[in-house]
Amino acid sequence: MKIIVPMAGIGSRLRPHTLTVPKPLTIIAGKSIVQRLVEDISSVIDEKIEEIAFIIGPAKKGFPANTEDNLLKIAKELGAKGTVYVQEEALGTAHALYCAKDSLSGPCVVAYADTLFKADFKLDANADGAIWVKQVEDPSAFGVVKLEDGFITDFIEKPKNFVSDLAIIGIYYFKDGDKVRNEIQYLIDNDLRENNEYQLTNVLETLKRDGAKFIPGTVSTWMDCGKKDPTVDTNKQVLEFEQNAGNNLVSKDVVLENSEIIQPCFVGKNVVLKNTKIGPYVSIGENSLVENTTITNSLIQTNVVISNAKLDNAMIGNHAKFNGDFTSVSIGDYTELT
């Protein structure tokens, strides 16, 4: 089994945080979104993961120089071979997969790296394919699937009238990755685009028309990491999952000076808290200093200095400095707000 992970580059939905670091590299409770994603996928696969292929944008699109090393480390920790491909130009979901065509073969899971999930099901590797879905209240905002006798019969993008409430979350299983690669090749060879992009949904339609039967993989929790507020909420949910699993996410070397941590929280290495109360639902990355501050329900990256603040529902990037009487803030890497 292979896992193929297209990773978006600089986008607008999570700005200012994606001005310097693509959202799949954002740290949630001590791990990057992309690391948590492949770990979640591995938990529903009963087969050995042979390879994890990551598709990133070029460095000029915001991917740090050490991105490849970090991604290869993630694969190694899961006992898999790691491969990194570069998509020089964003030409759609199918085009991203085409950049990893050398790895697109045999059984594989494709996962777009701006979402996290929790699921109780185990993947049926004998199915032609599976599409991860989540029941939602407003299906008109999503691509959805229609079911008949347990199989997916239609894919509908943002339906105006109700046809289904099962939203596609961006994770797919294909029993035959070679067929997927060949269909993408056909799209590109014949320049078959929608809105100037090569779309995976066109590949799915062709495979279904040719007889492939797709089943749903229904997840219990779907955590969006596309915008600031949902990402902060994802941090909260991940901290709850970690606490329920009995995991302590507070580093042993945290320095507490007249300070308090209300669980659940993540506190990285080399963090100093002075006259500060954090929690619940706060993540603070390594090498950070927080003083004279109260923080609840917030996601804070690494090497941050915060003082004289009262924060709630905040998201603060790496190497940022914050000093002030603001509450719900969102500032990116290397920002100073004093």
Side-chain angles (χ1 to χ4, degrees), residues 37-98:
L37 174 63
V38 296
E39 288 177 353
D40 288 345
I41 292 171
S42 69
S43 70
V44 301
I45 295 176
D46 270 339
E47 299 188 12
K48 177 178 173 54
I49 301 172
E50 299 174 359
E51 179 183 7
I52 303 176
F54 303 92
I55 305 148
I56 65 174
K60 64 183 179 181
K61 293 295 186 181
F63 286 89
N66 63 347
T67 298
E68 183 171 347
D69 289 340
N70 289 338
L71 294 176
L72 294 177
K73 182 180 178 182
I74 290 171
K76 184 177 180 180
E77 289 177 351
L78 287 171
K81 170 189 173 184
T83 312
V84 179
Y85 299 94
V86 177
Q87 184 185 23
E88 294 291 344
E89 186 179 5
L91 291 175
T93 52
H95 179 264
L97 287 183
Y98 183 75

CSV table of all heavy atoms in Angstrom, one decimal, residues 37-98:
chain,number,residue,atom,x,y,z
A,37,LEU,N,-2.0,13.7,9.5
A,37,LEU,CA,-2.8,13.1,8.4
A,37,LEU,C,-2.4,11.7,8.0
A,37,LEU,O,-3.2,10.8,8.0
A,37,LEU,CB,-2.8,14.0,7.2
A,37,LEU,CG,-3.5,13.5,5.9
A,37,LEU,CD1,-5.0,13.3,6.2
A,37,LEU,CD2,-3.3,14.4,4.7
A,38,VAL,N,-1.1,11.5,7.8
A,38,VAL,CA,-0.6,10.2,7.3
A,38,VAL,C,-0.7,9.2,8.5
A,38,VAL,O,-0.9,8.0,8.3
A,38,VAL,CB,0.8,10.2,6.8
A,38,VAL,CG1,0.8,11.0,5.5
A,38,VAL,CG2,1.8,10.8,7.7
A,39,GLU,N,-0.6,9.7,9.7
A,39,GLU,CA,-0.8,8.8,10.9
A,39,GLU,C,-2.2,8.4,11.0
A,39,GLU,O,-2.5,7.2,11.3
A,39,GLU,CB,-0.3,9.5,12.2
A,39,GLU,CG,1.2,9.7,12.3
A,39,GLU,CD,1.6,10.4,13.5
A,39,GLU,OE1,0.7,11.0,14.3
A,39,GLU,OE2,2.8,10.5,13.8
A,40,ASP,N,-3.1,9.3,10.8
A,40,ASP,CA,-4.6,8.9,10.8
A,40,ASP,C,-4.9,7.9,9.7
A,40,ASP,O,-5.7,7.0,10.0
A,40,ASP,CB,-5.4,10.2,10.6
A,40,ASP,CG,-5.4,11.1,11.8
A,40,ASP,OD1,-5.0,10.7,12.9
A,40,ASP,OD2,-5.8,12.3,11.7
A,41,ILE,N,-4.3,8.1,8.5
A,41,ILE,CA,-4.6,7.2,7.4
A,41,ILE,C,-4.0,5.8,7.8
A,41,ILE,O,-4.7,4.7,7.6
A,41,ILE,CB,-4.0,7.7,6.1
A,41,ILE,CG1,-4.7,8.9,5.7
A,41,ILE,CG2,-4.0,6.6,5.0
A,41,ILE,CD1,-4.0,9.6,4.5
A,42,SER,N,-2.8,5.7,8.3
A,42,SER,CA,-2.2,4.4,8.7
A,42,SER,C,-3.1,3.7,9.7
A,42,SER,O,-3.1,2.5,9.7
A,42,SER,CB,-0.8,4.6,9.2
A,42,SER,OG,-0.8,5.3,10.5
A,43,SER,N,-3.8,4.4,10.5
A,43,SER,CA,-4.6,3.8,11.6
A,43,SER,C,-5.8,3.0,11.0
A,43,SER,O,-6.4,2.2,11.7
A,43,SER,CB,-5.1,4.8,12.6
A,43,SER,OG,-6.1,5.7,12.0
A,44,VAL,N,-6.3,3.4,9.7
A,44,VAL,CA,-7.4,2.7,9.2
A,44,VAL,C,-7.0,1.7,8.1
A,44,VAL,O,-7.8,1.1,7.4
A,44,VAL,CB,-8.5,3.7,8.6
A,44,VAL,CG1,-9.0,4.6,9.7
A,44,VAL,CG2,-7.9,4.5,7.4
A,45,ILE,N,-5.7,1.5,7.9
A,45,ILE,CA,-5.2,0.6,6.8
A,45,ILE,C,-4.6,-0.6,7.5
A,45,ILE,O,-3.7,-0.5,8.4
A,45,ILE,CB,-4.1,1.3,6.0
A,45,ILE,CG1,-4.7,2.4,5.2
A,45,ILE,CG2,-3.4,0.3,5.0
A,45,ILE,CD1,-3.7,3.2,4.4
A,46,ASP,N,-5.1,-1.8,7.2
A,46,ASP,CA,-4.6,-3.0,7.8
A,46,ASP,C,-3.5,-3.6,7.0
A,46,ASP,O,-3.1,-4.8,7.2
A,46,ASP,CB,-5.7,-4.0,7.9
A,46,ASP,CG,-6.5,-3.9,9.2
A,46,ASP,OD1,-5.9,-3.3,10.2
A,46,ASP,OD2,-7.6,-4.3,9.3
A,47,GLU,N,-2.8,-2.9,6.1
A,47,GLU,CA,-1.7,-3.4,5.3
A,47,GLU,C,-0.5,-2.6,5.6
A,47,GLU,O,-0.6,-1.4,6.0
A,47,GLU,CB,-2.1,-3.3,3.8
A,47,GLU,CG,-3.3,-4.2,3.5
A,47,GLU,CD,-3.6,-4.3,2.0
A,47,GLU,OE1,-2.7,-3.9,1.2
A,47,GLU,OE2,-4.6,-4.7,1.6
A,48,LYS,N,0.6,-3.1,5.3
A,48,LYS,CA,1.9,-2.4,5.4
A,48,LYS,C,2.0,-1.3,4.4
A,48,LYS,O,1.7,-1.4,3.3
A,48,LYS,CB,3.1,-3.4,5.2
A,48,LYS,CG,4.4,-2.7,5.2
A,48,LYS,CD,5.6,-3.7,5.0
A,48,LYS,CE,6.9,-3.0,4.9
A,48,LYS,NZ,7.2,-2.1,6.1
A,49,ILE,N,2.4,-0.1,4.9
A,49,ILE,CA,2.6,1.0,4.1
A,49,ILE,C,4.0,1.0,3.5
A,49,ILE,O,5.0,1.1,4.3
A,49,ILE,CB,2.4,2.3,4.9
A,49,ILE,CG1,1.0,2.4,5.4
A,49,ILE,CG2,2.6,3.5,4.0
A,49,ILE,CD1,0.7,3.5,6.4
A,50,GLU,N,4.1,0.8,2.2
A,50,GLU,CA,5.4,0.6,1.6
A,50,GLU,C,6.1,2.0,1.3
A,50,GLU,O,7.3,2.1,1.4
A,50,GLU,CB,5.3,-0.2,0.3
A,50,GLU,CG,4.7,-1.6,0.5
A,50,GLU,CD,4.5,-2.3,-0.8
A,50,GLU,OE1,4.7,-1.7,-1.9
A,50,GLU,OE2,4.0,-3.4,-0.8
A,51,GLU,N,5.3,2.9,0.9
A,51,GLU,CA,5.8,4.2,0.4
A,51,GLU,C,4.8,5.3,0.8
A,51,GLU,O,3.6,5.2,0.7
A,51,GLU,CB,6.1,4.2,-1.1
A,51,GLU,CG,6.7,5.5,-1.6
A,51,GLU,CD,6.8,5.5,-3.1
A,51,GLU,OE1,6.4,4.5,-3.8
A,51,GLU,OE2,7.4,6.5,-3.7
A,52,ILE,N,5.4,6.5,1.1
A,52,ILE,CA,4.6,7.7,1.3
A,52,ILE,C,5.2,8.7,0.3
A,52,ILE,O,6.4,9.1,0.5
A,52,ILE,CB,4.6,8.2,2.7
A,52,ILE,CG1,4.0,7.1,3.7
A,52,ILE,CG2,3.7,9.5,2.8
A,52,ILE,CD1,4.0,7.5,5.1
A,53,ALA,N,4.5,9.1,-0.6
A,53,ALA,CA,4.9,10.1,-1.6
A,53,ALA,C,4.3,11.5,-1.3
A,53,ALA,O,3.1,11.6,-1.2
A,53,ALA,CB,4.6,9.7,-3.0
A,54,PHE,N,5.1,12.5,-1.2
A,54,PHE,CA,4.6,13.9,-0.9
A,54,PHE,C,4.8,14.7,-2.1
A,54,PHE,O,5.9,14.7,-2.8
A,54,PHE,CB,5.4,14.5,0.3
A,54,PHE,CG,5.3,13.7,1.5
A,54,PHE,CD1,6.3,12.7,1.9
A,54,PHE,CD2,4.3,13.9,2.4
A,54,PHE,CE1,6.2,12.0,3.0
A,54,PHE,CE2,4.2,13.2,3.6
A,54,PHE,CZ,5.2,12.2,3.9
A,55,ILE,N,3.8,15.5,-2.5
A,55,ILE,CA,4.0,16.4,-3.6
A,55,ILE,C,3.9,17.9,-3.1
A,55,ILE,O,2.9,18.3,-2.5
A,55,ILE,CB,2.8,16.2,-4.6
A,55,ILE,CG1,2.8,14.7,-5.1
A,55,ILE,CG2,3.0,17.1,-5.8
A,55,ILE,CD1,1.4,14.2,-5.4
A,56,ILE,N,5.0,18.6,-3.2
A,56,ILE,CA,5.1,19.9,-2.7
A,56,ILE,C,5.3,20.9,-3.8
A,56,ILE,O,5.6,20.5,-5.0
A,56,ILE,CB,6.3,20.1,-1.7
A,56,ILE,CG1,7.6,19.9,-2.4
A,56,ILE,CG2,6.1,19.1,-0.5
A,56,ILE,CD1,8.8,20.1,-1.5
A,57,GLY,N,5.1,22.2,-3.5
A,57,GLY,CA,5.4,23.2,-4.5
A,57,GLY,C,6.8,23.6,-4.4
A,57,GLY,O,7.6,23.2,-3.5
A,58,PRO,N,7.3,24.4,-5.4
A,58,PRO,CA,8.7,24.8,-5.4
A,58,PRO,C,9.0,25.7,-4.2
A,58,PRO,O,8.1,26.3,-3.6
A,58,PRO,CB,8.9,25.6,-6.7
A,58,PRO,CG,7.5,26.0,-7.0
A,58,PRO,CD,6.6,25.0,-6.5
A,59,ALA,N,10.3,25.9,-3.8
A,59,ALA,CA,10.6,26.7,-2.7
A,59,ALA,C,10.1,28.1,-2.8
A,59,ALA,O,9.7,28.7,-1.8
A,59,ALA,CB,12.2,26.7,-2.5
A,60,LYS,N,10.0,28.6,-4.0
A,60,LYS,CA,9.5,30.0,-4.1
A,60,LYS,C,8.0,30.1,-3.8
A,60,LYS,O,7.5,31.2,-3.6
A,60,LYS,CB,9.7,30.5,-5.6
A,60,LYS,CG,8.9,29.7,-6.6
A,60,LYS,CD,9.2,30.2,-8.0
A,60,LYS,CE,8.4,29.3,-9.0
A,60,LYS,NZ,8.7,29.8,-10.4
A,61,LYS,N,7.4,29.0,-3.6
A,61,LYS,CA,5.9,29.0,-3.2
A,61,LYS,C,5.8,28.9,-1.7
A,61,LYS,O,4.7,28.6,-1.2
A,61,LYS,CB,5.2,27.9,-3.9
A,61,LYS,CG,5.0,28.1,-5.4
A,61,LYS,CD,4.2,29.3,-5.7
A,61,LYS,CE,3.9,29.4,-7.2
A,61,LYS,NZ,3.1,30.6,-7.5
A,62,GLY,N,6.9,29.0,-1.0
A,62,GLY,CA,6.8,29.0,0.5
A,62,GLY,C,7.3,27.8,1.2
A,62,GLY,O,7.2,27.7,2.4
A,63,PHE,N,7.7,26.7,0.5
A,63,PHE,CA,8.2,25.5,1.2
A,63,PHE,C,9.6,25.7,1.7
A,63,PHE,O,10.5,26.0,0.9
A,63,PHE,CB,8.1,24.3,0.3
A,63,PHE,CG,6.7,23.8,0.1
A,63,PHE,CD1,5.9,24.3,-0.9
A,63,PHE,CD2,6.1,22.9,0.9
A,63,PHE,CE1,4.6,23.9,-1.1
A,63,PHE,CE2,4.8,22.4,0.7
A,63,PHE,CZ,4.1,22.9,-0.3
A,64,PRO,N,9.8,25.6,3.0
A,64,PRO,CA,11.2,25.9,3.6
A,64,PRO,C,12.2,24.9,3.0
A,64,PRO,O,11.8,23.8,2.5
A,64,PRO,CB,11.0,25.7,5.1
A,64,PRO,CG,9.5,25.9,5.3
A,64,PRO,CD,8.8,25.4,4.0
A,65,ALA,N,13.5,25.2,3.1
A,65,ALA,CA,14.5,24.4,2.6
A,65,ALA,C,14.6,23.0,3.2
A,65,ALA,O,15.0,22.0,2.6
A,65,ALA,CB,15.9,25.1,2.7
A,66,ASN,N,14.2,22.9,4.5
A,66,ASN,CA,14.3,21.6,5.2
A,66,ASN,C,13.0,20.7,5.0
A,66,ASN,O,12.9,19.7,5.7
A,66,ASN,CB,14.6,21.8,6.6
A,66,ASN,CG,13.5,22.6,7.4
A,66,ASN,OD1,12.6,23.1,6.7
A,66,ASN,ND2,13.5,22.6,8.7
A,67,THR,N,12.1,21.2,4.1
A,67,THR,CA,10.8,20.5,4.0
A,67,THR,C,11.0,19.0,3.6
A,67,THR,O,10.4,18.1,4.2
A,67,THR,CB,9.9,21.1,3.0
A,67,THR,OG1,9.6,22.5,3.4
A,67,THR,CG2,8.6,20.4,2.8
A,68,GLU,N,11.9,18.8,2.6
A,68,GLU,CA,12.0,17.4,2.1
A,68,GLU,C,12.6,16.5,3.2
A,68,GLU,O,12.1,15.4,3.4
A,68,GLU,CB,13.0,17.4,0.9
A,68,GLU,CG,13.2,16.0,0.4
A,68,GLU,CD,14.0,16.0,-1.0
A,68,GLU,OE1,14.1,17.0,-1.5
A,68,GLU,OE2,14.3,14.9,-1.4
A,69,ASP,N,13.6,17.0,4.0
A,69,ASP,CA,14.1,16.1,5.1
A,69,ASP,C,13.0,15.8,6.1
A,69,ASP,O,13.0,14.7,6.6
A,69,ASP,CB,15.3,16.9,5.8
A,69,ASP,CG,16.5,17.0,4.9
A,69,ASP,OD1,16.6,16.2,3.9
A,69,ASP,OD2,17.4,17.8,5.1
A,70,ASN,N,12.2,16.8,6.5
A,70,ASN,CA,11.2,16.6,7.5
A,70,ASN,C,10.1,15.6,7.0
A,70,ASN,O,9.6,14.7,7.7
A,70,ASN,CB,10.5,17.9,7.8
A,70,ASN,CG,11.4,18.8,8.6
A,70,ASN,OD1,12.3,18.4,9.3
A,70,ASN,ND2,11.1,20.1,8.6
A,71,LEU,N,9.8,15.7,5.7
A,71,LEU,CA,8.8,14.7,5.1
A,71,LEU,C,9.3,13.3,5.1
A,71,LEU,O,8.6,12.3,5.4
A,71,LEU,CB,8.3,15.2,3.8
A,71,LEU,CG,7.6,16.5,3.7
A,71,LEU,CD1,7.3,16.9,2.3
A,71,LEU,CD2,6.3,16.4,4.5
A,72,LEU,N,10.6,13.2,4.7
A,72,LEU,CA,11.2,11.8,4.6
A,72,LEU,C,11.3,11.2,6.0
A,72,LEU,O,11.1,10.0,6.2
A,72,LEU,CB,12.6,11.9,4.0
A,72,LEU,CG,12.7,12.3,2.6
A,72,LEU,CD1,14.1,12.4,2.1
A,72,LEU,CD2,11.9,11.3,1.7
A,73,LYS,N,11.5,12.1,7.1
A,73,LYS,CA,11.5,11.6,8.4
A,73,LYS,C,10.1,11.1,8.9
A,73,LYS,O,10.0,10.1,9.5
A,73,LYS,CB,11.9,12.7,9.4
A,73,LYS,CG,12.0,12.3,10.8
A,73,LYS,CD,12.4,13.5,11.7
A,73,LYS,CE,12.5,13.1,13.2
A,73,LYS,NZ,12.9,14.3,14.0
A,74,ILE,N,9.0,11.8,8.4
A,74,ILE,CA,7.7,11.3,8.7
A,74,ILE,C,7.4,9.9,8.2
A,74,ILE,O,6.9,9.0,8.8
A,74,ILE,CB,6.7,12.3,8.2
A,74,ILE,CG1,6.7,13.6,9.0
A,74,ILE,CG2,5.2,11.7,8.2
A,74,ILE,CD1,5.9,14.7,8.3
A,75,ALA,N,7.8,9.7,6.9
A,75,ALA,CA,7.7,8.4,6.3
A,75,ALA,C,8.5,7.3,7.0
A,75,ALA,O,8.0,6.2,7.3
A,75,ALA,CB,8.1,8.5,4.8
A,76,LYS,N,9.7,7.7,7.4
A,76,LYS,CA,10.6,6.7,8.0
A,76,LYS,C,10.0,6.3,9.4
A,76,LYS,O,10.0,5.1,9.7
A,76,LYS,CB,12.0,7.3,8.2
A,76,LYS,CG,13.0,6.3,8.9
A,76,LYS,CD,14.3,7.0,9.0
A,76,LYS,CE,15.4,6.0,9.6
A,76,LYS,NZ,16.7,6.6,9.7
A,77,GLU,N,9.4,7.2,10.1
A,77,GLU,CA,8.8,6.9,11.4
A,77,GLU,C,7.6,5.9,11.3
A,77,GLU,O,7.3,5.3,12.2
A,77,GLU,CB,8.4,8.2,12.1
A,77,GLU,CG,9.6,9.0,12.6
A,77,GLU,CD,9.2,10.3,13.3
A,77,GLU,OE1,8.0,10.7,13.2
A,77,GLU,OE2,10.1,11.0,13.8
A,78,LEU,N,7.0,5.9,10.1
A,78,LEU,CA,5.9,5.0,9.9
A,78,LEU,C,6.4,3.7,9.2
A,78,LEU,O,5.6,2.9,8.7
A,78,LEU,CB,4.8,5.6,9.0
A,78,LEU,CG,4.0,6.7,9.8
A,78,LEU,CD1,3.1,7.4,8.9
A,78,LEU,CD2,3.2,6.0,10.9
A,79,GLY,N,7.7,3.5,9.1
A,79,GLY,CA,8.3,2.3,8.5
A,79,GLY,C,8.2,2.3,7.0
A,79,GLY,O,8.2,1.2,6.4
A,80,ALA,N,8.0,3.4,6.3
A,80,ALA,CA,7.8,3.4,4.9
A,80,ALA,C,8.9,4.2,4.2
A,80,ALA,O,9.6,5.0,4.7
A,80,ALA,CB,6.5,4.1,4.5
A,81,LYS,N,9.1,3.9,2.9
A,81,LYS,CA,10.0,4.7,2.0
A,81,LYS,C,9.3,6.0,1.8
A,81,LYS,O,8.1,6.1,1.6
A,81,LYS,CB,10.2,3.9,0.7
A,81,LYS,CG,10.9,4.8,-0.4
A,81,LYS,CD,10.8,4.1,-1.7
A,81,LYS,CE,11.4,4.9,-2.8
A,81,LYS,NZ,11.3,4.3,-4.1
A,82,GLY,N,10.1,7.1,1.8
A,82,GLY,CA,9.6,8.4,1.6
A,82,GLY,C,10.1,8.9,0.2
A,82,GLY,O,11.3,8.7,-0.2
A,83,THR,N,9.2,9.6,-0.5
A,83,THR,CA,9.5,10.2,-1.8
A,83,THR,C,8.9,11.6,-1.9
A,83,THR,O,7.8,11.8,-1.4
A,83,THR,CB,9.0,9.3,-3.0
A,83,THR,OG1,9.4,8.0,-2.8
A,83,THR,CG2,9.6,9.8,-4.3
A,84,VAL,N,9.7,12.5,-2.4
A,84,VAL,CA,9.2,13.9,-2.5
A,84,VAL,C,9.2,14.3,-3.9
A,84,VAL,O,10.3,14.2,-4.6
A,84,VAL,CB,10.0,14.9,-1.6
A,84,VAL,CG1,9.5,16.3,-1.7
A,84,VAL,CG2,9.9,14.4,-0.1
A,85,TYR,N,8.1,14.8,-4.4
A,85,TYR,CA,8.0,15.4,-5.8
A,85,TYR,C,7.7,16.8,-5.7
A,85,TYR,O,7.1,17.3,-4.7
A,85,TYR,CB,6.9,14.6,-6.6
A,85,TYR,CG,7.1,13.2,-6.8
A,85,TYR,CD1,6.6,12.2,-5.9
A,85,TYR,CD2,7.9,12.7,-7.8
A,85,TYR,CE1,6.8,10.9,-6.0
A,85,TYR,CE2,8.1,11.3,-8.0
A,85,TYR,CZ,7.5,10.4,-7.1
A,85,TYR,OH,7.7,9.1,-7.3
A,86,VAL,N,8.0,17.6,-6.8
A,86,VAL,CA,7.7,19.0,-6.8
A,86,VAL,C,6.8,19.3,-7.9
A,86,VAL,O,7.0,18.9,-9.1
A,86,VAL,CB,9.0,19.8,-7.0
A,86,VAL,CG1,8.7,21.3,-7.1
A,86,VAL,CG2,10.0,19.6,-5.8
A,87,GLN,N,5.7,20.0,-7.6
A,87,GLN,CA,4.7,20.5,-8.6
A,87,GLN,C,5.1,21.9,-8.9
A,87,GLN,O,4.9,22.8,-8.1
A,87,GLN,CB,3.3,20.4,-8.1
A,87,GLN,CG,2.2,20.8,-9.1
A,87,GLN,CD,0.8,20.8,-8.5
A,87,GLN,OE1,0.6,20.9,-7.3
A,87,GLN,NE2,-0.2,20.7,-9.4
A,88,GLU,N,5.7,22.2,-10.1
A,88,GLU,CA,6.2,23.5,-10.4
A,88,GLU,C,5.0,24.5,-10.6
A,88,GLU,O,5.2,25.7,-10.4
A,88,GLU,CB,7.1,23.5,-11.6
A,88,GLU,CG,8.4,22.7,-11.4
A,88,GLU,CD,9.3,23.4,-10.4
A,88,GLU,OE1,9.1,24.6,-10.2
A,88,GLU,OE2,10.3,22.7,-10.0
A,89,GLU,N,3.9,24.0,-11.1
A,89,GLU,CA,2.8,24.9,-11.4
A,89,GLU,C,1.5,24.3,-10.9
A,89,GLU,O,1.3,23.1,-11.2
A,89,GLU,CB,2.7,25.2,-12.9
A,89,GLU,CG,1.7,26.2,-13.3
A,89,GLU,CD,1.7,26.5,-14.8
A,89,GLU,OE1,2.5,25.8,-15.5
A,89,GLU,OE2,0.9,27.4,-15.3
A,90,ALA,N,0.6,25.0,-10.3
A,90,ALA,CA,-0.6,24.5,-9.8
A,90,ALA,C,-1.6,24.4,-10.9
A,90,ALA,O,-2.2,25.4,-11.3
A,90,ALA,CB,-1.2,25.3,-8.6
A,91,LEU,N,-1.9,23.2,-11.4
A,91,LEU,CA,-2.8,23.0,-12.5
A,91,LEU,C,-3.9,22.0,-12.1
A,91,LEU,O,-4.4,21.3,-13.0
A,91,LEU,CB,-2.1,22.5,-13.7
A,91,LEU,CG,-1.1,23.5,-14.4
A,91,LEU,CD1,-0.3,22.9,-15.6
A,91,LEU,CD2,-1.9,24.7,-14.9
A,92,GLY,N,-4.3,21.9,-10.8
A,92,GLY,CA,-5.4,21.1,-10.5
A,92,GLY,C,-5.0,19.9,-9.7
A,92,GLY,O,-3.9,19.5,-9.6
A,93,THR,N,-6.1,19.2,-9.1
A,93,THR,CA,-5.9,18.1,-8.3
A,93,THR,C,-5.3,16.9,-9.0
A,93,THR,O,-4.4,16.2,-8.5
A,93,THR,CB,-7.2,17.7,-7.6
A,93,THR,OG1,-8.2,17.5,-8.7
A,93,THR,CG2,-7.7,18.7,-6.7
A,94,ALA,N,-5.8,16.6,-10.3
A,94,ALA,CA,-5.2,15.5,-11.0
A,94,ALA,C,-3.8,15.8,-11.4
A,94,ALA,O,-2.9,14.9,-11.5
A,94,ALA,CB,-6.1,15.2,-12.2
A,95,HIS,N,-3.5,17.0,-11.8
A,95,HIS,CA,-2.1,17.4,-12.2
A,95,HIS,C,-1.1,17.2,-11.0
A,95,HIS,O,0.0,16.7,-11.2
A,95,HIS,CB,-2.1,18.8,-12.7
A,95,HIS,CG,-0.7,19.3,-13.1
A,95,HIS,ND1,0.1,19.9,-12.2
A,95,HIS,CD2,0.0,19.1,-14.2
A,95,HIS,CE1,1.3,20.2,-12.8
A,95,HIS,NE2,1.2,19.7,-14.0
A,96,ALA,N,-1.6,17.5,-9.8
A,96,ALA,CA,-0.7,17.3,-8.6
A,96,ALA,C,-0.3,15.8,-8.5
A,96,ALA,O,0.8,15.4,-8.3
A,96,ALA,CB,-1.4,17.7,-7.4
A,97,LEU,N,-1.3,14.9,-8.7
A,97,LEU,CA,-1.0,13.5,-8.7
A,97,LEU,C,-0.1,13.0,-9.8
A,97,LEU,O,0.7,12.2,-9.7
A,97,LEU,CB,-2.3,12.7,-8.8
A,97,LEU,CG,-3.2,12.7,-7.5
A,97,LEU,CD1,-4.4,11.8,-7.8
A,97,LEU,CD2,-2.4,12.2,-6.3
A,98,TYR,N,-0.3,13.7,-11.0
A,98,TYR,CA,0.5,13.3,-12.1
A,98,TYR,C,2.0,13.6,-11.8
A,98,TYR,O,2.9,12.9,-12.4
A,98,TYR,CB,0.1,14.1,-13.4
A,98,TYR,CG,0.8,13.8,-14.6
A,98,TYR,CD1,0.6,12.6,-15.3
A,98,TYR,CD2,1.8,14.7,-15.1
A,98,TYR,CE1,1.2,12.3,-16.5
A,98,TYR,CE2,2.5,14.4,-16.3
A,98,TYR,CZ,2.2,13.2,-17.0
A,98,TYR,OH,2.9,12.9,-18.1
